[in-house]
Amino acid sequence: MFSQSASAPVRLTDAMRSVFVELLVHGPLSRAEVARRLALSPSALTKVTKPFIEAGYLLEAAGEGPATVGRPSQPLQVDASRMAFVGIKLTEDELFAVRTDLRATIQKEVARPLAGHEIDHVCGQIADVVGELTVPGSPLSAVGISLAGTASPSDPVVHTSPFLGWSQLPLAKLVEEAVSVPTVLDNDVRALTAAQQWFGEGVGHASFALVTVGAGIGCGLVVGDRLVTGQSGGTGLVGHLQIDDHGPLCERGHRGCARAYASSPAIRRSIASALDLPDLTFDDCLAMAAGGHPVARRVFDDAGAALGQVVATVANITGPELVILSGETVHMYQVCAEAFQAALIRHTHWTTTPVRVAVKPFAFNEWARGAAVTALQHLLLHR
């Protein structure tokens, strides 16, 4: 993975991975602080960091670190420019892509419509954007692709993706052959969770959950500093969690599940049907609720209560330090916060206090950035 030249790769040990990740996520840090955090002796830390420094992946930061006995200790930091990644998020009708550095800073982004879901067409669009985001003299280290469906970085196959109509598709292999860059897949919510784990709200938390709201309801989990993947990538499937067995139907025929209450299509459909206004958009509905329209207010309150129950259930089972609430329609929280908080309190187990919830404003390129972080984590931790 790391190399001084094409013929001299730096072979990573577990200790080297730990030090590099610590500096990547929390740096710059003094050598003494890194050693303290990872319980390493000064000599062991010197041995671990020397190959990275010689290869140019670690630099001494400008300025002095905390005062120490003897000569000043200059903090170490990762040179984020040494590697580049492309992250791609596939939706039903669009492709979003970003180029990032080692710290997941977005350097460039592009978006393309998808005219269809035929694999030759999608792979062609992916190859085009990878080419557009490749900089001469700065080759890509990996490509990450995220989508709504069952996929994981350790498996080149999309096992199922309802929005795209794919089943048992070896997408990573096909893309890797097309672009000649290592390629990994992941579920889009889990990829977004990875970005929060290393470079977002989740930094500093050993256990947290990410709950997303939009066209569906999703959940990503970090437990004991590890991103939970599960068998074949099937984790965080909370969209059809039962809320009320007398509630509305979702598109799968489930009565009263979270998706039937809180997904953006369900909210729009409920309000449009009640008012016989089929052309209403989700944003129209949100504006009506903000303005106090009784039907819209009731539907959004029900959605907020459903989300509060989902978050409480996730917290009761996993005991996270934090739940991050995000997704493309998370801005609806502004009109349903009271209902959300009431349900969170009501459904939290009586022996605990409600988990802290951070509402994170959403930009759609975050999905693609998450895919880039998935590629980075896989390359750094598993190769």
Side-chain angles (χ1 to χ4, degrees):
M1 173 189 167
F2 298 90
S3 62
Q4 296 164 287
S5 67
S7 61
V10 177
R11 302 297 181 184
L12 299 184
T13 64
D14 288 344
M16 292 174 72
R17 296 178 201 273
S18 296
V19 168
F20 194 83
V21 170
E22 195 71 21
L23 287 165
L24 181 66
V25 175
H26 300 287
L29 295 171
S30 70
R31 288 174 171 81
E33 178 61 13
V34 176
R36 185 192 67 79
R37 286 170 176 247
L38 299 178
L40 294 173
S41 68
S43 60
L45 181 64
T46 297
K47 181 179 179 180
V48 166
T49 57
K50 183 179 178 181
F52 289 127
I53 294 171
E54 290 177 345
Y57 288 93
L58 291 183
L59 305 173
E60 289 190 331
E64 296 181 359
T68 59
V69 177
R71 66 184 182 87
S73 173
Q74 288 184 297
L76 290 174
Q77 66 179 14
V78 172
D79 182 357
S81 68
R82 286 302 305 266
M83 300 179 78
F85 300 84
V86 164
I88 296 170
K89 155 68 173 169
L90 298 175
T91 73
E92 187 174 8
D93 53 14
E94 202 162 2
L95 177 158
F96 296 86
V98 297
R99 178 189 172 98
T100 75
D101 63 12
L102 258 170
R103 289 192 180 276
T105 301
I106 295 176
Q107 299 169 330
K108 185 178 180 180
E109 57 187 274
V110 296
R112 296 278 180 87
L114 290 179
H117 301 153
E118 297 80 10
I119 189 55
D120 287 345
H121 169 68
V122 176
C123 277
Q125 292 291 75
I126 290 173
D128 285 348
V129 298
V130 169
E132 186 174 341
L133 293 172
T134 299
V135 176
S138 179
L140 297 172
S141 297
V143 172
I145 300 174
S146 74
L147 45 80
T150 308
S152 65
S154 60
D155 191 340
V157 175
V158 176
H159 291 278
T160 179
S161 181
F163 287 125
L164 294 165
W166 293 343
S167 177
Q168 305 305 318
L169 179 71
L171 181 63
K173 179 181 178 182
L174 295 173
V175 171
E176 193 164 318
E177 289 173 350
V179 302
S180 300
V181 179
T183 301
V184 298
L185 309 177
D186 210 353
N187 168 268
D188 53 359
V189 176
R190 192 163 45 249
L192 191 60
T193 306
Q196 294 304 305
Q197 180 188 19
W198 278 14
F199 305 109
E201 293 285 336
V203 172
H205 296 282
S207 298
F208 72 91
L210 170 75
V211 174
T212 59
V213 56
I217 314 295
C219 177
L221 295 170
V222 171
V223 178
D225 281 324
R226 291 184 177 274
L227 186 63
V228 179
T229 300
Q231 183 178 359
S232 301
T235 56
L237 304 177
V238 299
H240 297 286
L241 183 70
Q242 186 77 14
I243 302 298
D244 183 348
D245 58 9
H246 298 292
L249 292 173
C250 76
E251 77 283 359
R252 299 292 298 178
H254 304 147
R255 185 170 293 283
C257 66
R259 191 181 180 104
Y261 279 105
S263 68
S264 53
I267 291 171
R268 190 209 67 79
R269 188 166 55 245
S270 293
I271 296 172
S273 176
L275 300 178
D276 195 22
L277 295 172
D279 294 331
L280 283 178
T281 66
F282 177 83
D283 285 338
D284 292 335
C285 296
L286 185 60
M288 291 169 65
H293 191 288
V295 170
R297 286 290 319 183
R298 175 58 187 272
V299 171
F300 274 97
D301 280 347
D302 288 348
L307 279 179
Q309 184 172 338
V310 168
V311 169
T313 301
V314 170
N316 289 340
I317 294 171
T318 64
E321 301 165 7
L322 170 73
V323 172
I324 303 165
L325 190 62
S326 190
E328 61 263 37
T329 59
V330 72
H331 55 297
M332 77 182 201
Y333 183 83
Q334 62 190 296
V335 300
C336 65
E338 187 174 339
F340 174 92
Q341 290 293 337
L344 177 63
I345 292 170
R346 185 167 63 253
H347 292 283
T348 294
H349 192 272
W350 64 271
T351 61
T352 63
T353 56
V355 66
R356 183 169 74 85
V357 177
V359 180
K360 182 174 175 60
F362 185 85
F364 217 90
N365 60 12
E366 280 293 302
W367 292 113
R369 180 173 178 257
V373 175
T374 286
L376 163 62
Q377 289 190 344
H378 186 68
L379 199 61
L380 181 57
L381 300 178
H382 302 290
R383 288 200 174 192

